[in-house]
Amino acid sequence: MNKTMLQRRSGESKPFNAATPDSDAQRDRARIIHSSAFRRLQSKTQVLGVGDNDFYRTRLTHSMEVAQIGSGICEHLKRTYDDNDDISQQIPSFFQIEATCLAHDLGHPPFGHGGEVALNYHMLGHGGFEGNGQTLRILSELGEYSEQHGLDVTRRTLLGVLKYPVLHSEVQPTDLTEDSPLNAFKPPKSIHDDEEDVLHWVLEEFSQHDRDKFRTKTEKNGKRRSQFKAFDTSIMELADDISYGVHDLEDALALGLVTERQWREDVLQNALDDSPLIAKADFYHDKLFSPDSRDRKHAISKLIGYLVPQITVERQQQFEHPQLDLQATLPAEAEHTLELLKRFVFKHVIRSAEVKAMEFKGQRIIMALFEALADAPEQLLQPSTLQKYQQATNPKRVICDYISGMTDHYARKQYSQLFSNGSEQA
């Protein structure tokens, strides 16, 4: 990545410890790790409700695991393409991919997708809400390092977390009203309209052709969505998918949420013959369903060890700049195995009655908190937040920022203080 693509919004960066090629990415990584938004991930839901069990993952541990897998992918790619300068020079450094992966979930609100839907409902007509869009907002505006530019990270880090380079208003359904069913407010994958200037700045160094192409949209089943993502983003998303499909499977097994019968019916009966799940069926069955956590960890490590070395780099032949044209991909066979694992987790964990009930309850908490804060901001907002609210051109965005930054516990506590008759927790 050339020097201008490493610039921060506040101008040319200063060295971090030493003037090395990694200094910018190392500083980005440090700012993310030390940010309050990153710390709050320890009390935000990954799959199951925080506090119900000490074993399973939070958004924080998930982000750390995604960063570790992302580093492993880059190490594999550097070895694979060591003699191909056109590709090897574009592979992010370990500091760079870790910064991107550690930041990728910063914007997720309390109570997972339930909270996301509630906030998007209240932001109808006010720029919308989407967790990935909020990540960009934290990095570029809300983070505590810079008054005007948030954590003030480099263009490359912002580009890496930019999973959906389209505005909310460009892809949201046009027929939504306040009377639409709440489940219709599942956010379109996008960034908020408020961050349009950030999007322009991130893409400023690319050619006009690349900027226009990168922001093109596709339509499927009547829904519009972005079509492209950058090279670093493709690596981060693979790391995220592997963590979701494999590590969340580990949680489900440890907590007894899935059975051997479900595994056979949903995974083994649909796996390809050359999948390790079939070729080494006895090993994976015995280890994954073992009561010994070390056995499960062994099988989980083997699955990751199968997937990561399969990853290759392809050219899309769509863009002039390699950071947009190159993509990290899995071959069809490995992708099929990963999709089986992801669907298994989604069916038996994400769509389980327990998780749906938690999302519903959290959704109602966020709905009620937003309504209360919007009705009585002078009485209920913290002084610093109230000042921002009174000065904002989009006051609802300030309330949205405030609530989305809450942990699950803090949101429950605020709800209890406003709506419960004493010590009851919502």
Side-chain angles (χ1 to χ4, degrees), residues 369-385:
L369 284 178
F370 202 114
E371 290 168 5
L373 294 173
D375 287 344
E378 289 81 5
Q379 292 94 321
L380 300 178
L381 289 176
Q382 299 292 327
S384 59
T385 306

PDB file of all heavy atoms in Angstrom, residues 369-385:
ATOM      1  N   LEU A 369     -35.663   1.903  25.815  1.00  0.00           N
ATOM      2  CA  LEU A 369     -34.641   2.880  26.178  1.00  0.00           C
ATOM      3  C   LEU A 369     -34.583   4.027  25.178  1.00  0.00           C
ATOM      4  O   LEU A 369     -34.479   5.201  25.556  1.00  0.00           O
ATOM      5  CB  LEU A 369     -33.268   2.195  26.264  1.00  0.00           C
ATOM      6  CG  LEU A 369     -32.970   1.344  27.495  1.00  0.00           C
ATOM      7  CD1 LEU A 369     -31.594   0.706  27.375  1.00  0.00           C
ATOM      8  CD2 LEU A 369     -33.062   2.173  28.769  1.00  0.00           C
ATOM      9  N   PHE A 370     -34.648   3.708  23.894  1.00  0.00           N
ATOM     10  CA  PHE A 370     -34.575   4.752  22.869  1.00  0.00           C
ATOM     11  C   PHE A 370     -35.767   5.701  22.998  1.00  0.00           C
ATOM     12  O   PHE A 370     -35.609   6.929  22.953  1.00  0.00           O
ATOM     13  CB  PHE A 370     -34.539   4.126  21.473  1.00  0.00           C
ATOM     14  CG  PHE A 370     -33.946   5.023  20.421  1.00  0.00           C
ATOM     15  CD1 PHE A 370     -32.748   4.698  19.809  1.00  0.00           C
ATOM     16  CD2 PHE A 370     -34.573   6.210  20.046  1.00  0.00           C
ATOM     17  CE1 PHE A 370     -32.190   5.529  18.843  1.00  0.00           C
ATOM     18  CE2 PHE A 370     -34.032   7.034  19.081  1.00  0.00           C
ATOM     19  CZ  PHE A 370     -32.828   6.707  18.481  1.00  0.00           C
ATOM     20  N   GLU A 371     -36.956   5.135  23.160  1.00  0.00           N
ATOM     21  CA  GLU A 371     -38.153   5.970  23.290  1.00  0.00           C
ATOM     22  C   GLU A 371     -38.058   6.888  24.502  1.00  0.00           C
ATOM     23  O   GLU A 371     -38.406   8.081  24.432  1.00  0.00           O
ATOM     24  CB  GLU A 371     -39.383   5.076  23.391  1.00  0.00           C
ATOM     25  CG  GLU A 371     -39.721   4.353  22.095  1.00  0.00           C
ATOM     26  CD  GLU A 371     -40.765   3.263  22.284  1.00  0.00           C
ATOM     27  OE1 GLU A 371     -41.299   3.141  23.408  1.00  0.00           O
ATOM     28  OE2 GLU A 371     -41.026   2.519  21.316  1.00  0.00           O
ATOM     29  N   ALA A 372     -37.567   6.361  25.626  1.00  0.00           N
ATOM     30  CA  ALA A 372     -37.466   7.165  26.837  1.00  0.00           C
ATOM     31  C   ALA A 372     -36.450   8.291  26.672  1.00  0.00           C
ATOM     32  O   ALA A 372     -36.713   9.451  27.041  1.00  0.00           O
ATOM     33  CB  ALA A 372     -37.077   6.271  28.015  1.00  0.00           C
ATOM     34  N   LEU A 373     -35.296   7.976  26.125  1.00  0.00           N
ATOM     35  CA  LEU A 373     -34.256   8.989  25.953  1.00  0.00           C
ATOM     36  C   LEU A 373     -34.661  10.057  24.950  1.00  0.00           C
ATOM     37  O   LEU A 373     -34.335  11.237  25.115  1.00  0.00           O
ATOM     38  CB  LEU A 373     -32.954   8.327  25.516  1.00  0.00           C
ATOM     39  CG  LEU A 373     -32.294   7.405  26.544  1.00  0.00           C
ATOM     40  CD1 LEU A 373     -31.097   6.688  25.927  1.00  0.00           C
ATOM     41  CD2 LEU A 373     -31.869   8.177  27.783  1.00  0.00           C
ATOM     42  N   ALA A 374     -35.387   9.655  23.907  1.00  0.00           N
ATOM     43  CA  ALA A 374     -35.854  10.632  22.916  1.00  0.00           C
ATOM     44  C   ALA A 374     -36.950  11.515  23.488  1.00  0.00           C
ATOM     45  O   ALA A 374     -37.054  12.699  23.135  1.00  0.00           O
ATOM     46  CB  ALA A 374     -36.350   9.901  21.674  1.00  0.00           C
ATOM     47  N   ASP A 375     -37.766  10.967  24.383  1.00  0.00           N
ATOM     48  CA  ASP A 375     -38.860  11.747  24.987  1.00  0.00           C
ATOM     49  C   ASP A 375     -38.356  12.716  26.045  1.00  0.00           C
ATOM     50  O   ASP A 375     -38.918  13.809  26.210  1.00  0.00           O
ATOM     51  CB  ASP A 375     -39.893  10.802  25.616  1.00  0.00           C
ATOM     52  CG  ASP A 375     -40.746  10.085  24.581  1.00  0.00           C
ATOM     53  OD1 ASP A 375     -40.754  10.536  23.417  1.00  0.00           O
ATOM     54  OD2 ASP A 375     -41.378   9.073  24.934  1.00  0.00           O
ATOM     55  N   ALA A 376     -37.322  12.350  26.781  1.00  0.00           N
ATOM     56  CA  ALA A 376     -36.862  13.199  27.887  1.00  0.00           C
ATOM     57  C   ALA A 376     -35.339  13.270  27.911  1.00  0.00           C
ATOM     58  O   ALA A 376     -34.698  12.842  28.876  1.00  0.00           O
ATOM     59  CB  ALA A 376     -37.398  12.665  29.210  1.00  0.00           C
ATOM     60  N   PRO A 377     -34.722  13.789  26.862  1.00  0.00           N
ATOM     61  CA  PRO A 377     -33.250  13.815  26.820  1.00  0.00           C
ATOM     62  C   PRO A 377     -32.635  14.658  27.934  1.00  0.00           C
ATOM     63  O   PRO A 377     -31.586  14.297  28.477  1.00  0.00           O
ATOM     64  CB  PRO A 377     -32.944  14.398  25.438  1.00  0.00           C
ATOM     65  CG  PRO A 377     -34.186  15.152  25.051  1.00  0.00           C
ATOM     66  CD  PRO A 377     -35.316  14.397  25.660  1.00  0.00           C
ATOM     67  N   GLU A 378     -33.261  15.788  28.285  1.00  0.00           N
ATOM     68  CA  GLU A 378     -32.692  16.661  29.314  1.00  0.00           C
ATOM     69  C   GLU A 378     -32.614  15.972  30.669  1.00  0.00           C
ATOM     70  O   GLU A 378     -31.694  16.207  31.449  1.00  0.00           O
ATOM     71  CB  GLU A 378     -33.518  17.956  29.445  1.00  0.00           C
ATOM     72  CG  GLU A 378     -33.392  18.904  28.276  1.00  0.00           C
ATOM     73  CD  GLU A 378     -34.285  18.501  27.100  1.00  0.00           C
ATOM     74  OE1 GLU A 378     -35.070  17.530  27.264  1.00  0.00           O
ATOM     75  OE2 GLU A 378     -34.198  19.139  26.036  1.00  0.00           O
ATOM     76  N   GLN A 379     -33.587  15.108  30.954  1.00  0.00           N
ATOM     77  CA  GLN A 379     -33.604  14.429  32.242  1.00  0.00           C
ATOM     78  C   GLN A 379     -32.759  13.157  32.258  1.00  0.00           C
ATOM     79  O   GLN A 379     -32.220  12.787  33.304  1.00  0.00           O
ATOM     80  CB  GLN A 379     -35.039  14.044  32.641  1.00  0.00           C
ATOM     81  CG  GLN A 379     -35.937  15.230  32.951  1.00  0.00           C
ATOM     82  CD  GLN A 379     -36.747  15.673  31.740  1.00  0.00           C
ATOM     83  OE1 GLN A 379     -36.243  15.676  30.624  1.00  0.00           O
ATOM     84  NE2 GLN A 379     -38.010  16.026  31.987  1.00  0.00           N
ATOM     85  N   LEU A 380     -32.629  12.469  31.120  1.00  0.00           N
ATOM     86  CA  LEU A 380     -32.080  11.126  31.134  1.00  0.00           C
ATOM     87  C   LEU A 380     -30.691  10.983  30.525  1.00  0.00           C
ATOM     88  O   LEU A 380     -29.984  10.031  30.851  1.00  0.00           O
ATOM     89  CB  LEU A 380     -33.045  10.174  30.409  1.00  0.00           C
ATOM     90  CG  LEU A 380     -34.451  10.075  31.019  1.00  0.00           C
ATOM     91  CD1 LEU A 380     -35.319   9.130  30.186  1.00  0.00           C
ATOM     92  CD2 LEU A 380     -34.379   9.596  32.461  1.00  0.00           C
ATOM     93  N   LEU A 381     -30.289  11.880  29.654  1.00  0.00           N
ATOM     94  CA  LEU A 381     -28.972  11.755  29.044  1.00  0.00           C
ATOM     95  C   LEU A 381     -27.877  12.273  29.977  1.00  0.00           C
ATOM     96  O   LEU A 381     -28.086  13.215  30.737  1.00  0.00           O
ATOM     97  CB  LEU A 381     -28.909  12.525  27.726  1.00  0.00           C
ATOM     98  CG  LEU A 381     -29.691  11.948  26.539  1.00  0.00           C
ATOM     99  CD1 LEU A 381     -29.602  12.883  25.344  1.00  0.00           C
ATOM    100  CD2 LEU A 381     -29.183  10.557  26.177  1.00  0.00           C
ATOM    101  N   GLN A 382     -26.697  11.643  29.928  1.00  0.00           N
ATOM    102  CA  GLN A 382     -25.551  12.127  30.673  1.00  0.00           C
ATOM    103  C   GLN A 382     -25.174  13.519  30.156  1.00  0.00           C
ATOM    104  O   GLN A 382     -25.394  13.839  28.989  1.00  0.00           O
ATOM    105  CB  GLN A 382     -24.377  11.170  30.493  1.00  0.00           C
ATOM    106  CG  GLN A 382     -24.627   9.760  31.002  1.00  0.00           C
ATOM    107  CD  GLN A 382     -24.746   9.708  32.507  1.00  0.00           C
ATOM    108  OE1 GLN A 382     -24.101  10.474  33.219  1.00  0.00           O
ATOM    109  NE2 GLN A 382     -25.588   8.807  32.995  1.00  0.00           N
ATOM    110  N   PRO A 383     -24.615  14.378  31.015  1.00  0.00           N
ATOM    111  CA  PRO A 383     -24.322  15.765  30.596  1.00  0.00           C
ATOM    112  C   PRO A 383     -23.524  15.869  29.305  1.00  0.00           C
ATOM    113  O   PRO A 383     -23.840  16.686  28.433  1.00  0.00           O
ATOM    114  CB  PRO A 383     -23.538  16.322  31.796  1.00  0.00           C
ATOM    115  CG  PRO A 383     -24.052  15.546  32.962  1.00  0.00           C
ATOM    116  CD  PRO A 383     -24.314  14.164  32.441  1.00  0.00           C
ATOM    117  N   SER A 384     -22.482  15.060  29.158  1.00  0.00           N
ATOM    118  CA  SER A 384     -21.664  15.144  27.945  1.00  0.00           C
ATOM    119  C   SER A 384     -22.454  14.714  26.720  1.00  0.00           C
ATOM    120  O   SER A 384     -22.309  15.301  25.631  1.00  0.00           O
ATOM    121  CB  SER A 384     -20.418  14.275  28.085  1.00  0.00           C
ATOM    122  OG  SER A 384     -20.771  12.918  28.318  1.00  0.00           O
ATOM    123  N   THR A 385     -23.306  13.691  26.883  1.00  0.00           N
ATOM    124  CA  THR A 385     -24.135  13.224  25.768  1.00  0.00           C
ATOM    125  C   THR A 385     -25.218  14.240  25.455  1.00  0.00           C
ATOM    126  O   THR A 385     -25.544  14.479  24.278  1.00  0.00           O
ATOM    127  CB  THR A 385     -24.767  11.860  26.102  1.00  0.00           C
ATOM    128  OG1 THR A 385     -23.735  10.949  26.483  1.00  0.00           O
ATOM    129  CG2 THR A 385     -25.529  11.307  24.907  1.00  0.00           C
TER     130      THR A 385
END
